[in-house]
Amino acid sequence: MTDPNVAGGVSSVDVASAGVADDSAVAHKPRSLGGDAWRMLRKRPSFIISAVIIALVVLIAIAPDLFSSRPAGFSDLLHANEGPSADAWFGYDNQGYDVYARTIHGARASLLVGVFATVLTILIGSVVGIVAGYYGRLVDSLFSRVGDIFAALPFVLGAIVILTTFNAPGSNPGAVTIIVQVVVSIAALSWPVAMRIMRSATLVAKQLDYVKAARGLGASTPRIVFRHLLPNTVAPVLVYGTIALGAFIGAEATLAYLGVGVRPPVVSWGVMISDARDYFRVNPHMLLFPAGFVTITVLAFVMLGDGIRDALDPKAR
C-alpha cells in the first residue's frame, strides 16, 4: 500500500527538511564587504547623525529658497547691527544684510569648493599613486619625489602664493574664476596625501595572486589597472576624500578670511566670517552663526569619514 505522504519517492519530511536547509543556507549566506560595512554603520549613532547633517547641508546648498524666503542680497539698513529676532533669526550685519539668509545661500559656494577640490585631489592623487605603485622603480621614485616637494609646501603659504600670483592686488576676478582658482590651489597642495594612500594600496594589491594570474595570462596593463587594481585600492582613498572634504570647506573659509580666497560678490561662509572679523566684539552674531555652520559641517564630514574607515577596516571588526 502506498504511503499518502510519499509522492514520487519523496516524502513530505524530506521536502520540509530541504526547505529548512535552504532557509538556513540563505540565512548564513556570506555578506560582502559593503554589506558588512553598511550593517555596522547602521548601528553607529555618530554615523547616522553626521549623515543627516550632511544631507541637510546638501539640501540647503541645492535649494536654499526652501529654507529662506529672502535672497542673499536682501538688505535693510534700518535694522543694521540688530541681533537675532523673530524677523531675522540670526540678526542683521553692519550693512543691513540678513545673516540667516546669507548663511543659507552661502552654503552652496562653500560646499562647491569642498566637493570640487576633493574630486580633483582624488583624481590627481589616484592616477599618480596607482601609476607609481604599479610600475615602481624609476617611475615610483620620480613621482614620489615630486609628491614630496608639493607636500613640503605649507598649505596656507602655498595657497596665498598661488592665488596672489594669478590675481594682482586690486584685481576683481569673476565669481567662477575665483572659485576655480581656489579649487585648483587646494588640490595642487593636497594631492600628495591621496597619492601616498593609493601608492601604498597598489604596492600591496599588485602582489596578490589574482593580479599575478592576470599578468601571466597576458592581460594588458589598462585591464589590470582598471579591472583588478583600482576596485581593490580605491576604498582607502575614498575614505580620505570624505574626511578631506570637510577639511577643504574649512580651508575655503581660511583663505577667504585672509582675503585671498572666495570674495564678494560671491557669498560663502568664509566670506561672511571675513566680513565680520572687525565687528566681533560689537556684533558677535555676525561671526558666530556662519562659523558655527562651518564647524558643524566639517565635524560631520570627519565623523562620517571615521565611521566609514572603521567599517571598511577588517581589523576593526
Side-chain angles (χ1 to χ4, degrees):
M1 183 174 180
T2 304
D3 189 347
N5 293 325
V6 177
V10 180
S11 68
S12 59
V13 176
D14 294 334
V15 174
S17 300
V20 172
D22 291 341
D23 293 341
S24 178
V26 172
H28 292 85
K29 183 179 179 180
R31 290 185 297 267
S32 63
L33 177 61
D36 283 338
W38 174 242
R39 183 168 176 268
M40 176 179 288
L41 288 173
R42 288 184 302 175
K43 298 179 180 180
R44 294 178 64 113
S46 60
F47 171 80
I48 301 298
I49 294 173
S50 61
V52 170
I53 293 174
I54 292 172
L56 181 60
V57 171
V58 171
L59 181 60
I60 291 174
I62 294 174
D65 293 335
L66 293 177
F67 299 87
S68 174
S69 59
R70 293 174 173 176
F74 174 83
S75 177
D76 186 353
L77 290 175
L78 296 177
H79 297 282
N81 297 322
E82 286 187 3
S85 64
D87 179 58
W89 293 353
F90 294 174
Y92 294 88
D93 65 7
N94 61 307
Q95 299 182 47
Y97 289 121
D98 186 336
V99 177
Y100 172 77
R102 287 174 66 82
T103 301
I104 294 298
H105 288 274
R108 177 175 296 175
S110 297
L111 197 62
L112 283 177
V113 170
V115 170
F116 284 119
T118 302
V119 171
L120 189 58
T121 299
I122 295 301
L123 285 177
I124 298 174
S126 297
V127 171
V128 176
I130 201 167
V131 170
Y134 180 77
Y135 286 102
R137 298 184 180 181
L138 181 60
V139 176
D140 186 13
S141 298
L142 177 62
F143 285 174
S144 296
R145 298 297 77 78
V146 173
D148 291 341
I149 293 173
F150 279 88
L153 297 174
F155 180 84
V156 176
L157 178 60
I160 291 175
V161 171
I162 294 173
L163 292 171
T164 53
T165 300
F166 287 101
N167 299 310
S171 63
N172 187 22
V176 176
T177 301
I178 190 61
I179 289 178
V180 171
Q181 291 176 353
V182 172
V183 168
V184 172
S185 300
I186 294 175
L189 297 169
S190 304
W191 68 266
V193 179
M195 184 271 289
R196 290 174 177 174
I197 296 173
M198 178 61 79
R199 173 183 173 273
S200 300
T202 303
L203 289 173
V204 174
K206 76 174 186 177
Q207 300 299 328
L208 299 178
D209 292 338
Y210 64 88
V211 177
K212 293 181 179 179
R215 190 184 297 115
L217 292 172
S220 62
T221 297
R223 181 178 178 84
I224 293 175
V225 169
F226 290 103
R227 292 293 300 274
H228 301 288
L229 288 179
L230 189 60
N232 294 280
T233 56
V234 73
V237 181
L238 293 181
V239 172
Y240 162 73
T242 305
I243 299 175
L245 201 160
F248 292 160
I249 292 176
E252 179 275 323
T254 301
L255 296 175
Y257 182 84
L258 296 174
V260 296
V262 178
R263 64 194 70 174
V266 180
V267 179
S268 73
W269 294 334
V271 171
M272 295 182 65
I273 294 173
S274 177
D275 292 342
R277 59 186 173 182
D278 295 330
Y279 306 94
F280 178 69
R281 291 187 177 182
V282 180
N283 301 308
H285 64 275
M286 290 174 54
L287 186 145
L288 291 179
F289 287 109
F293 269 69
V294 172
T295 302
I296 293 173
T297 303
V298 172
L299 182 60
F301 277 107
V302 171
M303 292 169 58
L304 184 72
D306 286 342
I308 295 176
R309 180 192 59 196
D310 295 340
L312 293 177
D313 184 6
K315 296 180 181 178
R317 296 196 292 269

